[in-house]
Amino acid sequence: MRNTNTMDATSTGAIKSGMRRKMKARLSWIPVLAALAILILMLIAGQVHFGSFVTPAMLSSLLVDNAYLVVLAAGMTFVILTGGIDLSVGSVMAFTGMLSAKLLSVGVPVALVIPLMLIAGALFGTMIGVLIHFFDVQPFIASLAGMFLARGLCFVVSLEAIQVKDPFVLGLESARLGYGDWYITPTGIIALIVIAIAAWVLAYTRFGRTVYAIGGNEQSARLMGLAVARSKILVYVVSGVCAGIAGLIFTSYTAAGYSLNGIGTELDTIAAVVIGGTLLTGGSGYMVGSLIGVFVYGVIKTAITYLGADASWERISIGILLLAFVVVQRFIVARANRN
Amino acid sequence: MSENAVVVEMRDISIEFPGVKALDDVDFTLRSGEIHSLLGENGAGKATLIKALTGVYSIDSGTIRVSGTERTFAGTADAQTAGIATVYQEINLCTNLTVGENVMLGHEVPGRFGINWRATHAKATTYLRQLGVDVDPRSQLASHSLAIQQLIAISRAMVVDCRVLVLDEPTSSLDRSEVEQLFAVMRRLRSRNVAILFVSHFLDQVYEISDQMTVLRNGKLVGEYQVGELSRSELISKMLGRELDELESIARNASRTIDRTGNPILKVTGLGRKGGIEPTDLDVYDGEIVGFAGLLGSGRTELVRVIYGADRSDHGAIEVRGKSVRLSTPRHSSDHKIAFSSEDRRAEGIIGDLTVAENIVLGIQAKRGWLRRVSKAQSDEVVAHYIESLDIRPASPHILMSNLSGGNQQKVLLARWLATTPQLLILDEPTRGIDIGAKAEIQREIAKLAAAGLGVIFISSELDEVLRLSQRVVVLRDRRKIAEFDNHENFDIDDIVALIAKEGAA
Amino acid sequence: MTRFFRSRLVWPMGALVALVLLNTISRPSFLSISVKNGQLYGSIIDILRDSAPLMLVALGMTLVIATRGIDLSVGAVMAISGAVALQFISKSTSPNRVGTVLIAIGIGVFITLLLGLWNGFLVAVVGIQPIIATLVLMLGGRGIALLITGGFITTITSSPYAQMAQGHLLGLPLAFFFSVGAIAIVGLLVRRTALGVLTESVGINPSASRLAGVRSRGIIWSIYGISGLLAGLAGILYSSNIMAADSNNAGFLIELDAILAVVLGGTSLRGGKFTLSGTVIGVFIIQTLTSTITFLGVPPAVTPVFKALVVILVCLSQSSRVRQYLGRIRHLRAAKPPIRLSGLETEVLAERKSG
């Protein structure tokens, strides 16, 4: 035993680990690629089935109509990457929308209203994050409280829908920059900018890397001396701010603030993020995956409209897709553990 | 070596937890450029001492000086600032990130647009190269062996420019060549005047790599020795100690003869699990107590876990009373009347929030399934019987298990298993961390049960306990059975110590 | 009984009494019960009747939470059972026959039992986290219900079916007897068999339970089955109340109310020990709270704000940090050294294992 040639052992080990490494590196992208494959397959199937499904107008509307969801998914990705969950986003989106509609209707200038929306979202996020980190409340429950609170506060603002007439807010949706049949609205641009910034933060900042580290192993992250407490709270703040931005987009999209907006949106968001390949246990996932996840969701919605099928199929297909992806994730994790 | 500059000086350190004095006026000195082993059995206080030094625990009394300055650590970050880095047994890195990130996390090289990954990875490579580790910093950490991960963790410690490196059981999951690689790195660091605190339960390795040794036992300092001045046997006796006085009352059990003609209760052939225990044979006959002797990590626990089905085996066969069986889950074993009490009472034994009575009846109930509930009358009878016969205190069946002392919890667990009327009882460290009175009671009970025909596998770190109770002793080392012999009157602890200590036994 | 009331139920009971007192002071009519046509009427009676669906769901949720799980799908499952039963009755030629109604209920509840077992399969066999496993059905379930009813709100006229939620027995609403029956049956099931104690054992310490030979997989599986079945019954009651299968609104957000009732009752979300009586009180607290809010003239839609505050308060009261802080104050007064972190003791043991 003593005289084993250590050089030999390490070099073969290195070769083996090199091969394994390539497999592993691909492993974390597999779910994203799978989502992309499904998206493309659905587009092709749609094209074959309907004749003219994939058109510039349809692809443009995919982004524009789901801009709010893209923004929400960006925030949710941060939260899920740490291994948490945020159920409050739909309600917070509705609340910030209500708040803006109310403020605008009493004549508060839009330049003040928009920052206020973002601050309101951030406050909700802070509350949830503090409950989770300092009081050891499970993310599910803490964000549930946030969800209740925001939903109830919507009705405190107003029981009725409030129409929004502010030209700037409306312009975010109605203004169209186009090239041929392709078009994009300011809301679409906002969504893309949010995704781009979020992707950059995740990949190129210490906060972003800490988010991954926490999701990978919180205990290790703490022992490595990373700012775990701050980052854990910050992800919920980010998610809250994103809900604020989504509130703005949704208000401009519907031209009104309404208390029942965005019910169930948190589930759509979680589904989109998971379908996009982010591991629910945290630590693995990419922003671009969440964007693809939203598009998959959007295509399902469009296809169901095209089919004239019952709208209920939308939720069922999302449910099935979510299940399929979770099971796939489960096996990937199980395999990674075995290695 | 001891003339080198003192880096860490811990004096009169005491740490107390509810009910336990984990460290009692312990002194510890670490000098630059030395590899210093910290030795002791379970619960000796090694881990507590390390956690005091690395800021995980705050000390109740005593002083810690690092490079002559007195320090109080409020957390791990304080210790790191003082230049103390730790690599734990369960390597504290993030397997979902790349090697380079794990080395540099928190110390990334900034660029114009956020982290400059190229420079960060280059810097990581430099640190890795310094330790002779040649891996691609962009590869995933999870793709590397534990040995490499360990070295990566050490590289990370170098980034923070540590003066003290604490290695807590770094070799427990490495094979021989990997250990060599780690030792090469340790020697390299020693030559760069880093002070290394090394903890390992492999004595060969301790003797191979260290310059100094400090031995703890039961939270107290036994002494500090240079490697040359203490033989293995002396070291082992110092680690294990002897608590003979009160236990002498139990007559030595060895002389009882066991009828080994018929079918054994349990016959194990070539049973093993990769990384746990090498293929091993074992028989247990009616009325026999088979004692396992060996240090922590010798494979004693791993072997019984595989037998019971708590962990899966990857080869070997098991026969119960001559019939070949598969014991792949605890459930199967309990169907074959085999009971197992884990060494980890808290995590794998007690159900803390249930009552004593519920804990005792759980074994019977699990066998019956949920539909056929153990009747109140039956439960009362069983519980009353065991509370009395095992002298469980307080003698109230309705208090919560978590409110009992360790010794009484252990008795409740014993009762849980006995109530299922097993034919073979596997006890892993049933007397650990409990007071001497309870210890004697449990030993007496085990001897009584065996005399009545029960087969017992008995594991203990305390060799005199093993010798006193067992008719047969199995000695394990380095995950292998190295000896098995019939116990007899004139065999004593030193003989086993000699077996365990024998260098490089093949 | 004294054991029951000594510790865990004191707080929820106190909260309920306080709520009732508050109501009685602000409107003396709150406790009064009038008799019309031999039937009892009054706010209390309303609470007993209206709480029935939540009661059924919360009982199941208690068991699921005891296993360290959670069942988000109960609302969707309610929608499905209502849809199935009503669809069957509406297609039947004799909607007023008791037999038809019984078969309809049977089919509805059987299907929800299967759905519960499906959740259990995902959690216990596939090993998916309970939140996500049940989220799948929560998302898809309402869609399935809508498909069953063809996208419409199925309405029926069937007097036996209507009786369930609207009828009376011995002067009390029939729905109340459903509550009582469910409490009795679940109570007997968990306390007369060993299901309760084994569930707790799995919830408190899964690995110790496994080593003790407990078949935790089977237990978890059956618990989700029970939760599905109870949610199914709740769906039947709900649809009987409005005589319609409203797939979008049946049991909407009831999972959250149910979780809240369980937590209010004193069962920890971390699993383990559970108390059905606590959950019963929790349900009454929520129902009384809703009734109070309505009475105070606050729009019912604002109710979530109060619920959110209750959730936050309850969570804070369970938080070890807050308890430690309160404990420290008490200790300082008694001039004793501050208590240590509760985690330390376990770490000592962990240390014994590793070092």
Side-chain angles (χ1 to χ4, degrees):
Chain A
M1 282 295 263
R2 260 310 142 79
N3 301 327
T4 317
N5 189 332
T6 45
M7 265 323 287
D8 252 342
T10 40
S11 59
T12 51
I15 291 169
K16 259 195 244 161
S17 74
M19 274 157 56
R20 255 188 295 163
R21 192 195 76 222
K22 272 180 200 148
M23 246 175 57
K24 273 282 162 57
R26 256 189 266 133
L27 221 53
S28 70
W29 277 99
I30 283 176
V32 179
L33 295 176
L36 189 62
I38 286 190
L39 178 64
I40 293 169
L41 271 178
M42 284 194 315
L43 288 175
I44 292 174
Q47 183 65 26
V48 170
H49 188 82
F50 300 113
S52 69
F53 184 67
V54 186
T55 60
M58 180 266 181
L59 291 176
S60 304
S61 71
L62 209 52
L63 173 65
V64 169
D65 290 352
N66 295 301
Y68 72 98
L69 202 56
V70 170
V71 175
L72 289 178
M76 187 70 82
T77 309
F78 279 92
V79 174
I80 294 184
L81 276 176
T82 64
I85 204 150
D86 187 354
L87 295 179
S88 73
V89 292
S91 302
V92 173
M93 175 179 87
F95 173 70
T96 53
M98 266 324 254
L99 188 71
S100 67
K102 180 79 181 178
L103 290 177
L104 289 172
S105 72
V106 296
V108 180
V110 70
L112 200 60
V113 168
I114 292 176
L116 278 176
M117 291 174 81
L118 303 189
I119 290 171
L123 283 178
F124 274 103
T126 312
M127 181 198 86
I128 294 168
V130 165
L131 277 177
I132 291 170
H133 187 79
F134 286 109
F135 297 101
D136 212 18
V137 179
Q138 287 146 311
F140 171 72
I141 298 298
S143 60
L144 183 68
M147 171 189 184
F148 272 143
L149 194 61
R151 188 62 70 187
L153 288 176
C154 282
F155 292 101
V156 173
V157 174
S158 163
L159 291 175
E160 313 291 322
I162 306 171
Q163 211 164 10
V164 173
K165 293 181 185 120
D166 183 88
F168 177 77
V169 173
L170 294 181
L172 289 177
E173 181 65 30
S174 55
R176 304 220 158 179
L177 314 165
Y179 175 79
D181 281 341
W182 295 91
Y183 68 92
I184 194 166
T185 57
T187 52
I189 296 172
I190 293 174
L192 289 180
I193 291 175
V194 168
I195 277 283
I197 293 178
W200 173 79
V201 168
L202 275 187
Y204 287 98
T205 66
R206 191 167 289 171
F207 165 62
R209 301 323 292 174
T210 306
V211 165
Y212 279 99
I214 293 173
N217 189 336
E218 187 174 334
Q219 169 85 5
S220 294
R222 196 166 287 140
L223 286 172
M224 283 173 158
L226 302 176
V228 171
R230 200 179 58 205
S231 308
K232 260 179 90 181
I233 295 174
L234 203 53
V235 291
Y236 289 93
V237 176
V238 167
S239 178
V241 171
C242 283
I245 300 173
L248 176 66
I249 295 176
F250 207 80
T251 307
S252 120
Y253 187 67
T254 56
Y258 182 42
S259 299
L260 291 176
N261 277 348
I263 286 179
T265 303
E266 56 281 343
L267 303 180
D268 296 341
T269 313
I270 294 168
V273 172
V274 172
I275 290 172
T278 301
L279 220 54
L280 269 164
T281 42
S284 171
Y286 301 93
M287 211 37 94
V288 63
S290 299
L291 185 65
I292 295 172
V294 173
F295 286 158
V296 168
Y297 172 88
V299 172
I300 291 178
K301 250 190 347 190
T302 317
I304 284 166
T305 321
Y306 268 60
L307 280 169
D310 203 298
S312 48
W313 277 108
E314 183 185 316
R315 279 292 165 83
I316 299 179
S317 358
I318 294 285
I320 292 171
L321 221 58
L322 179 65
L323 176 67
F325 272 79
V326 170
V327 171
V328 168
Q329 286 187 3
R330 170 82 199 139
F331 283 118
I332 290 177
V333 170
R335 239 181 72 182
N337 284 346
R338 223 175 301 142
N339 283 348
Chain B
M1 286 290 165
S2 49
E3 61 275 9
N4 288 359
V6 170
V7 187
V8 174
E9 196 177 10
M10 299 172 87
R11 286 286 164 268
D12 304 323
I13 305 291
S14 291
I15 292 186
E16 208 173 331
F17 298 120
V20 198
K21 196 139 196 187
L23 282 183
D24 192 359
D25 278 344
V26 171
D27 295 345
F28 179 73
T29 311
L30 189 61
R31 299 164 195 87
S32 72
E34 78 173 3
I35 297 176
H36 194 136
S37 286
L38 188 58
L39 294 151
E41 272 292 277
N42 283 316
K46 287 178 296 181
T48 314
L49 186 72
I50 289 178
K51 287 185 173 162
L53 176 61
T54 54
V56 179
Y57 293 161
S58 55
I59 52 176
D60 292 339
S61 66
T63 53
I64 302 178
R65 284 168 183 277
V66 181
S67 306
T69 341
E70 188 168 337
R71 302 266 191 171
T72 42
F73 298 145
T76 47
D78 289 356
Q80 280 172 15
T81 325
I84 299 171
T86 319
V87 176
Y88 293 94
Q89 179 181 7
E90 64 291 1
I91 305 161
N92 280 288
L93 295 177
C94 294
T95 46
N96 58 325
L97 301 178
T98 65
V99 170
E101 273 195 84
N102 271 296
V103 174
M104 302 299 297
L105 213 55
H107 310 276
E108 302 91 342
V109 183
R112 198 184 296 171
F113 305 104
I115 298 167
N116 180 343
W117 283 115
R118 182 189 294 267
T120 304
H121 281 130
K123 208 166 158 193
T125 312
T126 338
Y127 282 109
L128 289 164
R129 288 259 166 79
Q130 280 177 11
L131 300 188
V133 187
D134 187 21
V135 297
D136 179 3
R138 290 176 190 273
S139 58
Q140 291 283 311
L141 183 75
S143 65
H144 296 287
S145 67
L146 283 176
I148 300 289
Q149 292 189 21
Q150 204 114 48
L151 297 178
I152 291 166
I154 298 176
S155 308
R156 176 173 175 82
M158 296 303 111
V159 176
V160 292
D161 194 26
C162 75
R163 276 172 296 170
V164 177
L165 178 62
V166 180
L167 296 173
D168 186 4
E169 294 279 6
T171 57
S172 57
S173 36
L174 307 189
D175 66 26
R176 188 63 227 175
S177 62
E178 292 169 335
V179 170
E180 288 297 341
Q181 201 178 354
L182 174 69
F183 282 181
V185 166
M186 284 169 70
R187 292 197 183 96
R188 200 182 291 209
L189 292 175
R190 173 169 61 188
S191 67
R192 281 162 49 183
N193 271 335
V194 175
I196 298 176
L197 173 56
F198 178 65
V199 178
S200 169
H201 51 256
F202 297 111
L203 295 189
D204 280 356
Q205 295 172 3
V206 169
Y207 275 94
E208 185 183 339
I209 191 76
S210 27
D211 308 308
Q212 289 286 115
M213 302 191 283
T214 291
V215 181
L216 300 178
R217 190 173 70 233
N218 289 334
K220 293 202 176 82
L221 177 69
V222 175
E224 186 190 342
Y225 313 92
Q226 280 192 16
V227 164
E229 69 182 14
L230 206 59
S231 76
R232 261 155 217 271
S233 311
E234 285 169 319
L235 173 64
I236 293 172
S237 345
K238 285 197 189 305
M239 283 162 63
L240 297 179
R242 292 175 199 191
E243 294 170 332
L244 292 177
D245 321 340
E246 289 193 43
L247 299 173
E248 279 305 331
S249 61
I250 301 172
R252 194 153 160 188
N253 218 354
S255 52
R256 210 156 52 76
T257 42
I258 301 297
D259 175 22
R260 296 208 179 92
T261 46
N263 266 333
I265 305 174
L266 178 80
K267 184 178 180 61
V268 165
T269 22
L271 193 70
R273 175 184 167 86
K274 198 164 169 270
I277 177 80
E278 289 181 20
T280 307
D281 298 346
L282 182 75
D283 297 338
V284 184
Y285 286 86
D286 281 302
E288 183 179 36
I289 301 180
V290 178
F292 281 15
L295 297 175
L296 186 73
S298 59
R300 54 185 198 195
T301 298
E302 291 78 358
L303 178 57
V304 291
R305 287 185 73 90
V306 171
I307 293 176
Y308 185 66
D311 295 332
R312 287 209 176 215
S313 57
D314 30 38
H315 32 71
I318 300 178
E319 281 176 28
V320 173
R321 295 225 178 266
K323 266 193 215 140
S324 170
V325 293
R326 266 187 69 234
L327 303 178
S328 51
T329 69
R331 198 46 221 194
H332 292 155
S333 305
S334 103
D335 286 345
H336 287 100
K337 291 186 164 289
I338 297 173
F340 167 66
S341 171
S342 162
E343 62 171 340
D344 193 343
R345 195 165 56 223
R346 171 83 43 139
E348 296 189 327
I350 65 167
I351 314 281
D353 284 348
L354 292 186
T355 64
V356 168
E358 286 166 326
N359 267 282
I360 292 179
V361 179
L362 184 68
I364 317 179
Q365 189 64 68
K367 282 185 100 147
R368 284 196 178 189
W370 66 269
L371 262 177
R372 295 188 301 133
R373 179 170 179 263
V374 177
S375 74
K376 177 112 176 50
Q378 193 186 350
S379 153
D380 285 351
E381 193 195 319
V382 170
V383 170
H385 170 72
Y386 284 109
I387 286 183
E388 210 217 303
S389 69
L390 298 178
D391 192 24
I392 294 168
R393 283 181 226 172
S396 151
H398 298 300
I399 63 168
L400 290 187
M401 187 71 163
S402 48
N403 293 336
L404 262 59
S405 71
N408 283 296
Q409 288 183 347
Q410 195 62 53
K411 289 183 194 169
V412 171
L413 293 181
L414 196 57
R416 179 194 290 169
W417 295 119
L418 293 179
T420 63
T421 60
Q423 53 181 340
L424 174 67
L425 181 59
I426 302 171
L427 297 168
D428 193 356
E429 293 269 22
T431 58
R432 180 197 293 170
I434 64 180
D435 65 78
I436 253 177
K439 207 177 259 187
E441 278 170 331
I442 287 178
Q443 288 185 17
R444 226 173 267 132
E445 189 62 31
I446 294 169
K448 208 169 84 192
L449 290 162
L454 182 72
V456 178
I457 295 177
F458 181 80
I459 300 180
S460 173
S461 301
E462 287 170 41
L463 295 178
D464 48 314
E465 207 173 69
V466 172
L467 275 181
R468 196 172 316 114
L469 284 173
S470 328
Q471 283 82 50
R472 210 141 42 91
V473 177
V474 170
V475 183
L476 294 111
R477 202 182 101 137
D478 296 338
R479 305 188 184 107
R480 276 188 304 131
K481 178 165 104 174
I482 55 166
E484 179 172 349
F485 56 87
D486 288 333
N487 193 4
H488 52 79
E489 300 293 342
N490 43 17
F491 204 85
D492 74 9
I493 294 184
D494 297 332
D495 297 319
I496 298 187
V497 167
L499 271 171
I500 299 177
K502 207 155 95 194
E503 193 174 353
Chain C
M1 268 328 231
T2 49
R3 195 158 62 88
F4 259 114
F5 282 97
R6 198 177 297 155
S7 57
R8 290 173 143 241
L9 294 187
V10 169
W11 286 106
M13 204 60 204
L16 182 59
V17 169
L19 260 180
V20 171
L21 276 179
L22 189 84
N23 272 289
T24 319
I25 293 166
S26 54
R27 50 168 168 163
S29 68
F30 181 74
L31 283 178
S32 70
I33 295 170
S34 59
V35 185
K36 268 183 231 159
N37 306 328
Q39 293 167 1
L40 302 178
Y41 288 93
S43 308
I44 296 284
I45 303 295
D46 288 344
I47 289 173
L48 293 184
R49 187 189 58 232
D50 297 342
S51 62
L54 179 60
M55 184 69 80
L56 297 176
V57 170
L59 288 173
M61 189 68 82
T62 312
L63 299 181
V64 172
I65 286 178
T67 66
R68 291 194 178 179
I70 203 141
D71 188 351
L72 296 183
S73 70
V74 284
V77 167
M78 277 177 70
I80 293 178
S81 74
V84 169
L86 262 67
Q87 200 63 22
F88 182 85
I89 294 175
S90 73
K91 291 279 185 279
S92 135
T93 48
S94 51
N96 281 313
R97 279 224 337 251
V98 176
T100 314
V101 169
L102 285 181
I103 294 173
I105 296 173
I107 298 174
V109 171
F110 179 71
I111 286 177
T112 58
L113 172 66
L114 293 183
L115 291 174
L117 292 175
W118 160 256
N119 282 333
F121 170 77
L122 290 182
V123 174
V125 182
V126 186
I128 299 175
Q129 302 135 280
I131 291 187
I132 303 308
T134 53
L135 178 66
V136 170
L137 194 53
M138 182 191 193
L139 270 175
R142 285 188 193 283
I144 296 173
L146 277 169
L147 280 186
I148 293 169
T149 59
F152 299 103
I153 297 180
T154 307
T155 53
I156 55 161
T157 43
S158 161
S159 55
Y161 199 80
Q163 281 298 313
M164 279 187 303
Q166 301 167 22
H168 286 73
L169 181 69
L170 306 171
L172 287 165
L174 203 53
F176 174 61
F177 289 96
F178 273 93
S179 289
V180 174
I183 296 168
I185 291 171
V186 175
L188 286 177
L189 182 67
V190 298
R191 296 304 178 198
R192 287 292 142 207
T193 72
L195 189 60
V197 73
L198 291 183
T199 303
E200 289 181 337
S201 143
V202 170
I204 296 166
N205 192 338
S207 43
S209 304
R210 185 176 93 95
L211 285 185
V214 177
R215 283 206 172 101
S216 46
R217 192 177 277 188
I219 298 217
I220 292 175
W221 209 336
S222 13
I223 294 292
Y224 279 91
I226 294 174
S227 173
L229 188 130
L230 285 168
L233 269 177
I236 302 280
L237 276 184
Y238 180 88
S239 61
S240 151
N241 196 29
I242 58 171
M243 287 310 278
D246 182 349
S247 301
N248 284 319
N249 291 313
F252 181 67
L253 287 186
I254 200 168
E255 53 278 349
L256 306 180
D257 277 352
I259 294 166
L260 186 51
V262 173
V263 176
L264 278 176
T267 299
S268 162
L269 276 169
R270 287 165 217 287
K273 284 294 237 189
F274 64 88
T275 142
L276 290 176
S277 4
T279 299
V280 171
I281 297 173
V283 168
F284 286 135
I285 292 177
I286 292 178
Q287 202 64 43
T288 313
L289 188 70
T290 314
S291 145
T292 312
I293 292 166
T294 319
F295 169 75
L296 292 176
V298 180
V302 183
T303 318
V305 174
F306 294 91
K307 287 184 183 161
L309 295 178
V310 174
V311 174
I312 293 172
L313 278 177
V314 169
C315 285
L316 288 185
S317 75
Q318 288 184 352
S319 145
S320 60
R321 187 178 283 255
V322 172
R323 289 195 169 174
Q324 199 187 335
Y325 179 70
L326 293 175
R328 197 165 283 180
I329 294 174
R330 222 174 292 142
H331 272 268
L332 283 179
R333 266 196 221 129
K336 273 185 190 167
I339 52 167
R340 283 183 164 276
L341 281 167
S342 56
L344 278 189
E345 219 186 338
T346 43
E347 281 189 54
V348 176
L349 278 133
E351 163 217 328
R352 290 215 168 124
K353 197 186 173 194
S354 64

